[in-house]
Each structure stands twice: as structure tokens, then as C-alpha cells.
Amino acid sequence: MSNPQHIHNLAVLTSGGDAPGMNPAVRAVVRTALNHGLDVYAIYEGYKGMVEGGDKIKKMNWDSVGGMLFKGGTIIGSARCAEFRTREGRLQAAHNLIERGIDNLVVIGGDGSLTGANLFRKEWPELLAELVKKRKITKKVAEQHAHFNIVGLVGSIDNDMFGTDMTIGADTALHRITEAVDAITSTAASHQRSFVVEVMGRNCGYLALMSAVATGADWVLIPESPPNVENWEDKMCEVLKAGREAGRRDSIVIVAEGARDRNGKPISADYVKNVLHERLGEDTRVTILGHVQRGGSPSAFDRYMSTLLGHAAVEEILNSEPGGEPQLIGMRDNRVTHSPLMDCVAQTHGIADVIAAKDYEKAMDMRGGSFKEMFRTLRTLVRALPHPPTSGQRRLRLAVVNAGGPAAGMNTATRTAIRIGVDKGHIMFGVKNGFKGFINGDIEEMGWMSVAGWATMGGANLGTSRKIPHGSDLYAIARHIEEHQIEGLLVIGGWAGYQSAYTLRKERWNFPAFNIPIICLPATINNNLPGSEISIGSDTALNNIMVSVDKIKQSAVASQRCFVVEVMGRYCGYLALLSGLATGAERVYMHEEGVTLNDLKTDVENLIEGFEHGKRLGLIIRNEQVNKFYTTNFMCALFDQEGGDLFDVRQAILGHLQQGGDPTPFDRIQATRLAVKCVDYLIEQAETTGDDPGAAFIGLQSGKVKLTDLEDLPRMVVDELQRPKKQWWLNIRPIAKLMAQSGPNVGGA
Ligand code: ADP
């Protein structure tokens, strides 16, 4: 079995608890390795398979990882393995690997699995020496494999690991939790019931906190920050009772499984239920979400991130010094990064120790700034009623408008802005129907309860339009600003919103009414705005596209068919590229690259070649504006004609389903985060800058919230193409291309 020509082979395994996204990671590892000409093996059933050997260690080819992108769990299996904890077991594992020339390993698992891998790596020279001594391998073979290299990827739904902002599976778990809590909320509201929902997270409150933000839950209990008062039960009951009195029909409490009180005593979901029942007389039910949270098809983010991480893991192995410090590949600040593996494991254990030692302040510090900030924000948003304005406080009059096409998350952002503003003692207005409504004076004061339930709703309840004001519109808007004495404006929207805000900014010298702070929050499915790497709504659109394409692919299994799927984005290829990556499309057309007759000719030839060699399904994703002459119809007709009897072609224009749907957890969380900052900005500018207030757009840049001066808008965009000059995600293009290369049977897998 040993292969002297290919002495440095690579293996990948998944270990510990399974997590959605492990499959895309394995697929990326295998394809990247093959692309570099390496022999690559998948070890089935984690360390168990490594110890057992035989057919548990399988050589992979391009097609063996086809069709697994959309599957949840891990196809190559995971198992707990007691033998691997023994030296005898590890000796056997080393023998099995070296027989196949494997001395590189990508481990996808939690801290336990990564610790085990590191131990194995350190022991490797001794294990080989022992195998030589026992005459199981030759000295020469041992010398050829002197070093064992490992790279770690974190597969864990809890998001509990240092070294990565997100673990593989955490985003999907949030999807499952928010779906479940949204569903529970509607039944709870029908019967005016209370629900206590337990989510996973023994030492990590990430899932509990973020799902509480995303679902608009009324109370949350997390391990890192137990209630800071002894009689927290009274406090919780008081808030929930006040909520009922203010008109809330449901009460939802989210409890992390590791929740505890200040003294370290566990707080169970049942305990919370009894408290609510006894003290409030509430009809209370408990739902323990359990393994539902682990299940199901990975979200678009988990497919995309895992693909990038799997690719980076192989690159790391190829580029690192043999025997060097092993690395953990993670995603930090929206970029793939590597950090010393065992430092990350140690820090992860450190936080568990800090929690066990009841040093909760340190635990929250260790979780980092945005986690703490989110917890603070949540505590405001869950209030039944706002703090009353303080006496003598200057009460600002701030307006919120939605503008551009509808994008999921607009309501979440609007709710947060209204509540944060009102809680700080200010008077908040909602402008209806975008700038069209502004021109007509369609403006209303918004109270605390006017946005109840908006956190989870898709669409734009305020109404939105693509109208960009000009000429006499500006007089009308100026008049309404003056009439309502508006002192600050938050524009939640896309291209039209940004252009409108810019127009007001530019016309300040003409219209003194526009001399108010203005801030734009990026909300468009197209992700075509400057100053933000991601806009609110684009994650929801991406998931909508992905789910539809998964179904389209399923529909085609029985026939030899090529689908051309047209997605939105105007001139911005973000949705096309990322959905292509998430669904395994073999070809993505986007305006940034264009398409020529020669490209189409090559694509036809590739399709014919593929179908001639047994391919069953073709999948091509096309941005709506890629080329005005080579339309979707044209492309389909061309492929169909050239495909003859070999395959047929169908088009799927996804249309408006991309703009609808409930916002994803990511869109809800980021909408909340950005809206808080926007209101802070308006208040700060209104209170401090007098005659020359700022005007800016906010955004996520390298994972951080940043502001850009609105004046910079024109120089940052290509106006006629309605997209930013710099688009960071174009860097992903080569990886998407690599993954999509067709093996004979790959067929859009
Ligand atoms: P996770 O990787 O999700 O933290 P576990 O802690 O259960 O999950 O670890 C998974 C497997 O990794 C274990 O069943 C065992 O085979 C291996 N493993 C974990 N810790 C060690 C260790 N200290 N030494 C050797 N193997 C280990």
C-alpha cells in the first residue's frame, strides 16, 4: 500500500461533535490538495478510523467529494475514540498513516480533537522509532516522514474557540435556533404563553445571546455573565410582567445550557419555568432545542467560510516549515487567518477556568468588545418600557427612513434605532415609503411598542421606495424637516438611499434645513455599497438563492440537464459569486468579469465534454446584468442547441424571492449592531457639532464598525454601474474557480 513516489500525502478527518459545514471543509481540503497534485485521504469516523485503518482511510478523488456541499453533519463520520487517548492506539494510528505515506493531517473538530492531534504530532518521532524497532516500518521510511504536520479547523456549533470569530457550524446553529424561536413566538403569542428555550453552550453564551438578539427575546441567561443581583428572579419577573402590561403577547426567555447564577449554581430551564409559573402565574412551557441545533443543511456562510478555511488549511501545510508550530486556521475580522493552535486551545480552556472561578468580568472581557456590546444592547432592547427622559435633558427629534429596494433586516435596524433613541430620551419619527414619503410629509412619531415584533420580520414595514429627490422635491423635504423640527436623519437603505442622503448633504448650502446630522446604514441585498464589506439583507438573499438552487438541483437528478440560474445584484456580482460558491456552481458569470463569445464557446465545449463523460447535472449562475446582449434566454438557447440530445437546458430566474423572507440571524445581528452605532452618531453630532454636523455612512470593514464621510461617496463608486470601485470579495474568485473545476461527474456539485 505504501507509495514511495508520493511520500508526503495528506489526510483529513472530522472529529468530536459534528457540525454543519464540516462537509464543505472536507470538500475544499480534498480539491485543493488534488489541485496541488497531492494524494489525499479521508479518514472515516475520526480518530477511530485512524486507529482501525483498513477501508476507514480512503483515497479521495475529485468526484468523491461531489454532492456533499449541501449536506449537514459530516459524511466522513465522527466518533469519540477512547483508544486514541492511549499510546497503543496512537501507535496503531501512526502505522496506518505511514503505510499510506501520510504525514500531513487536517483535523476538523473541537478543542479535544485538536489537543489529541497535537499530542500525536509531538509523539510522532517516538512512535516511528517504536515502529522501526518492532520492524513494522524501515528506518528509511521513518526518516522520510520525520515530521508530522497538522493544521486545525474548528468544527463546533457553540462558537466557543479562540483563534476564530466564527467556528464551523455556529451560523447554521443560529439559523436553526432562530427558526425554532420564531415558530415558538407565534404559538406563544396566540395563547399569551411564556416559553423558556434552552440552547447549547456549556461555557459559551454566544448562541444564547445572539439568538436572543435575533429573535427579540425578552430575557437571556448566559454562563459568562450571570445576573448581577442576588434576587435576579424578581428582576426577571418584574420585566416580563411590565412587558405583558405594555401589551406583549409572548414572553421568551433563552437559557444557555451552562447558565448559572453569581455563586456558580446552575440555572436550568425548568427552574426558570417554575419561577415564572409560581411568581407570575404564567402558563409557561420549556423547549430544549437539543440536537436540532446541530442538524440540517449548512447555511450559506458555513458553506462559504468552510470552503475558504479548507482551502487555506492545505495552503498552510504546503507553505509551513515541516515540524513548525501547528496552526489553527480561522476567520477573523472577515479574513482567513492563522494562529498558533495550542495557544488558541489554552485560551479556550482559560475562559472555562475563569467562569469556574466566578470571575465573570474577566470572562466577558475575554469574549471581546462586540460580545459585551451586544449584551448591553440586548439589555436595552428587552426592556418592557424605555427609561423616562431625564429632567432637563435636551430631547432630540430624530427621523428614520428606509430607502431603495426592500432588504431583509431593514425592520430589525428600524426597531433597534427607534428603541435605542426612545430609551435615551429622544423623540423618534418614522418616515413612510422612503424619500417619496418624505416629499409628501408622510412622517409619524414612533413609540416603544410601535416596533414590537419587528426584529424578526422581513420586508420594510415603514415602506421604502427607490425615489431619489431632486429639484422641487428638496423644497418639500426641507419644509417637512422644519415642520417636524427634525434634528437628525438615519437612512436605512441601498443605492437610492445613499444617493438621496448625498443629495441632501450637497444641498446644505441651499437648504439650511439639511444642516442636520445624517447617517446611512447599508441595507440592500445587492451588497453594492461603499464603506461596508457586507450590507444588511445580502446574507438573507444569499441563503434564499442557495435554498432555491439546492431544490433546483434536486429536481434535475433524474435527467441530464443544465440549469442557468439568474440572480439579482444589478452590476454587482456578489450574489452570483457567493451563491455559486455555496451551491457548487461550475460557472459563474458576473459583470465585473464580463462574458465574451469565446468564453461561451469554451463553456459549451466543457459542458459537452462533461455530459459525454457521464455528468448528469450542470449548474451555471448568472448575474442579471452580466451582458445586455448575451441574455439568459440567449445563453440557454445556445447551450440547448449545442447540447443536442446530450443534455437539455432550463433557465431559472429567481426574481423577487431574493428580496423577501425573514432576515437571517446574521442580518438581524448586524442590523442591530449598526443601528445602535447610527443612533449614537446622530445624538453625538446633534449635541456637539452645532452648525456643521457630520454626514456619514456606516459599515463593517474587516469585522469592525467604521464610518466614512458622505462627501467621499462619489469617489468611492462607479456611478453608472452602481457599485463600489473596490470589492474585497473579488479575491475569493480564484478559490471559487478552483472548487468548481469539473471532474467528469462533478456536475455542479
Ligand atoms: P471535541 O473535539 O468536539 O472537543 P472530544 O473532546 O470528545 O470532542 O474529542 C474527540 C476525540 O478526540 C476523542 O474521542 C479522542 O479520541 C480525541 N481526544 C480528545 N482529547 C484527547 C487527548 N487529550 N489525547 C488524545 N486524544 C484526545
Side-chain angles (χ1 to χ4, degrees):
M1 233 189 267
S2 71
N3 185 348
Q5 277 86 45
H6 295 95
I7 48 173
H8 294 292
N9 297 338
L10 181 140
V12 54
L13 63 78
T14 54
S15 169
D18 63 308
M22 282 179 160
N23 289 326
V26 169
R27 171 180 177 270
V29 168
V30 168
R31 291 198 170 170
T32 309
L34 290 173
N35 196 52
H36 280 293
L38 299 178
D39 279 358
V40 53
Y41 292 81
I43 302 175
Y44 283 66
E45 318 307 336
Y47 292 123
K48 197 157 171 273
M50 205 156 130
V51 175
E52 277 178 29
D55 65 358
K56 290 279 186 312
I57 307 180
K58 281 193 195 137
K59 194 159 170 192
M60 305 299 269
N61 61 34
W62 198 269
D63 289 351
S64 17
V65 289
M68 68 195 274
L69 198 51
F70 63 93
K71 295 204 170 135
T74 166
I75 288 181
I76 63 172
S78 178
R80 312 271 177 207
C81 173
E83 291 103 302
F84 195 71
R85 291 181 187 269
T86 67
R87 193 185 152 92
E88 216 27 58
R90 294 194 290 274
L91 186 70
Q92 187 55 46
H95 190 207
N96 289 331
L97 295 186
I98 208 154
E99 264 193 316
R100 293 162 178 83
I102 298 168
D103 56 13
N104 295 302
L105 180 68
V106 178
V107 180
I108 309 169
D111 57 339
S113 309
L114 300 174
T115 307
N118 189 49
L119 181 66
F120 183 65
R121 178 192 73 92
K122 288 210 288 211
E123 264 180 9
W124 179 260
E126 291 167 38
L127 295 173
L128 294 202
E130 199 171 330
L131 290 172
V132 173
K133 211 162 128 207
K134 290 186 168 161
R135 297 181 183 279
K136 298 231 167 139
I137 59 170
T138 63
K139 207 158 172 234
K140 182 154 174 254
V141 168
E143 277 163 9
Q144 280 168 339
H145 300 280
H147 299 290
F148 191 76
N149 303 303
I150 60 168
V151 175
L153 302 185
V154 191
S156 155
I157 64 160
D158 295 348
N159 206 23
D160 55 352
M161 188 85 181
F162 273 80
T164 188
D165 294 342
M166 287 296 274
T167 55
I168 293 172
D171 184 61
T172 308
L174 272 181
H175 275 252
R176 294 297 96 81
I177 298 170
T178 46
E179 282 155 17
V181 177
D182 286 355
I184 286 170
T185 305
S186 61
T187 162
S190 308
H191 296 271
Q192 300 216 30
R193 275 192 184 126
S194 301
F195 270 86
V196 184
V197 183
E198 185 193 288
V199 302
M200 285 186 174
R202 245 168 277 152
N203 285 310
C204 184
Y206 178 85
L207 292 178
L209 173 59
M210 296 305 166
S211 61
V213 169
T215 58
D218 305 291
W219 198 260
V220 68
L221 293 154
I222 59 172
E224 296 90 336
S225 185
N228 55 7
V229 284
E230 281 297 333
N231 57 343
W232 64 270
E233 294 93 335
D234 295 341
K235 182 95 185 87
M236 175 179 72
C237 289
E238 201 182 291
V239 169
L240 295 187
K241 186 160 171 253
R244 286 281 188 220
E245 282 162 10
R248 268 192 204 155
R249 292 193 54 87
D250 56 89
S251 295
I252 308 281
V253 178
I254 297 191
V255 186
E257 61 181 333
R260 64 203 73 199
D261 66 17
R262 288 263 131 191
N263 304 315
K265 190 167 143 241
I267 301 176
S268 70
D270 271 331
Y271 178 72
V272 178
K273 173 194 149 168
N274 291 338
V275 168
L276 296 184
H277 182 69
E278 281 159 22
R279 302 196 190 185
L280 296 177
E282 290 261 339
D283 179 6
T284 310
R285 308 290 161 102
V286 170
T287 300
I288 295 180
L289 290 183
H291 282 77
V292 162
Q293 296 164 82
R294 266 191 205 292
S297 183
S299 66
F301 179 78
D302 270 325
R303 297 187 195 187
Y304 141 80
M305 177 182 75
S306 304
T307 301
L308 297 194
L309 298 185
H311 173 265
V314 177
E315 297 293 330
E316 172 67 30
I317 287 207
L318 289 171
N319 296 322
S320 62
E321 286 286 306
E325 171 93 28
Q327 301 289 308
L328 179 143
I329 308 289
M331 194 76 136
R332 275 173 146 177
D333 301 336
N334 202 27
R335 297 288 181 276
V336 174
T337 52
H338 53 110
S339 354
L341 179 73
M342 291 320 289
D343 285 0
C344 299
V345 171
Q347 289 205 59
T348 304
H349 291 162
I351 198 160
D353 297 342
V354 166
I355 293 172
K358 300 181 201 142
D359 189 350
Y360 302 116
E361 210 160 304
K362 188 150 181 217
M364 284 302 269
D365 281 344
M366 287 173 84
R367 283 278 176 246
S370 54
F371 189 89
K372 268 166 85 173
E373 217 176 270
M374 219 29 136
F375 194 55
R376 255 199 317 272
T377 301
L378 181 77
R379 296 217 299 228
T380 302
L381 293 177
V382 301
R383 292 182 64 82
L385 288 170
H387 288 100
T390 43
S391 68
Q393 170 188 9
R394 180 174 163 207
R395 297 189 75 193
L396 295 167
R397 300 166 68 86
L398 308 173
V400 181
V401 62
N402 293 171
M410 281 180 157
N411 285 330
T412 321
T414 304
R415 165 188 183 259
T416 305
I418 301 287
R419 287 208 165 170
I420 294 286
V422 170
D423 188 61
K424 293 192 171 185
H426 304 297
I427 301 163
M428 301 300 291
F429 294 91
V431 179
K432 303 289 173 70
N433 304 321
F435 281 87
K436 209 154 122 196
F438 218 152
I439 295 163
N440 297 332
D442 214 349
I443 301 169
E444 226 172 60
E445 190 179 333
M446 307 281 287
W448 187 262
M449 288 307 282
S450 68
V451 289
W454 285 29
T456 63
M457 288 180 192
N461 291 352
L462 275 184
T464 181
S465 74
R466 290 206 172 79
K467 172 81 185 166
I468 301 172
H470 60 92
S472 60
D473 301 337
L474 299 173
Y475 286 98
I477 292 176
R479 205 177 63 241
H480 297 306
I481 289 179
E482 277 160 7
E483 268 167 15
H484 289 86
Q485 296 165 39
I486 290 167
E487 297 168 276
L489 176 65
L490 165 58
V491 181
I492 299 170
W495 191 265
Y498 277 49
Q499 291 301 326
S500 304
Y502 180 73
T503 307
L504 300 197
R505 164 82 186 77
K506 206 174 62 181
E507 295 289 336
R508 273 180 177 172
W509 64 278
N510 241 340
F511 298 91
F514 299 160
N515 240 349
I516 54 173
I518 301 173
I519 189 152
C520 301
L521 185 156
T524 163
I525 69 162
N526 296 341
N527 199 27
N528 63 340
L529 296 169
S532 193
E533 289 172 359
I534 299 283
S535 59
I536 305 305
S538 57
D539 186 58
T540 305
L542 199 53
N543 278 283
N544 286 343
I545 295 170
M546 185 190 80
V547 168
S548 306
V549 174
D550 283 353
K551 286 182 186 155
I552 288 170
K553 280 168 72 173
Q554 269 175 358
S555 80
V557 284
S559 50
Q560 290 193 302
R561 186 165 282 174
C562 175
F563 274 98
V564 179
V565 179
E566 181 186 300
V567 303
M568 286 181 168
R570 307 186 74 101
Y571 291 99
C572 172
Y574 178 81
L575 289 177
L577 180 63
L578 273 280
S579 64
L581 198 65
T583 57
E586 63 210 77
R587 181 73 163 97
V588 172
Y589 296 117
M590 43 189 210
H591 187 272
E592 286 84 350
E593 288 180 341
V595 54
T596 64
L597 190 56
N598 251 342
D599 293 335
L600 291 171
K601 190 163 166 283
T602 312
D603 294 334
V604 166
E605 282 161 8
N606 286 342
L607 281 173
I608 292 173
E609 158 115 21
F611 280 103
E612 272 175 351
H613 288 87
K615 175 192 187 74
R616 304 201 57 78
L617 167 71
L619 175 62
I620 291 173
I621 296 194
R622 182 187 190 279
N623 155 261
E624 59 184 353
Q625 304 279 19
V626 60
N627 187 301
K628 74 174 169 199
F629 302 107
Y630 302 150
T631 59
T632 306
N633 268 335
F634 171 83
M635 285 184 177
C636 288
L638 176 76
F639 296 155
D640 202 30
Q641 176 65 24
E642 296 296 315
D645 292 338
L646 198 54
F647 60 95
D648 60 14
V649 181
R650 294 284 187 278
Q651 70 173 35
I653 297 177
L654 296 185
H656 284 81
L657 71 82
Q658 296 164 82
Q659 288 181 340
D662 295 341
T664 56
F666 180 86
D667 278 334
R668 298 183 198 185
I669 293 163
Q670 298 306 340
T672 304
R673 191 173 166 206
L674 293 179
V676 171
K677 299 273 185 199
C678 286
V679 174
D680 284 349
Y681 175 84
L682 292 181
I683 295 170
E684 189 239 342
Q685 292 292 316
E687 285 176 347
T688 59
T689 52
D691 281 348
D692 188 21
F697 43 99
I698 203 165
L700 295 163
Q701 294 173 32
S702 304
K704 307 269 183 311
V705 179
K706 297 258 168 73
L707 290 168
T708 313
D709 200 317
L710 197 51
E711 238 179 299
D712 293 338
L713 183 71
R715 70 166 182 80
M716 294 174 79
V717 299
V718 188
D719 203 35
E720 63 282 13
L721 299 179
Q722 301 198 354
R723 70 179 184 226
K725 283 184 184 155
K726 280 201 195 129
Q727 302 192 99
W728 65 276
W729 49 268
L730 286 170
N731 293 335
I732 303 166
R733 182 58 170 146
I735 300 174
K737 271 194 175 144
L738 189 164
M739 293 302 147
Q741 289 170 42
S742 276
N745 293 317
V746 178

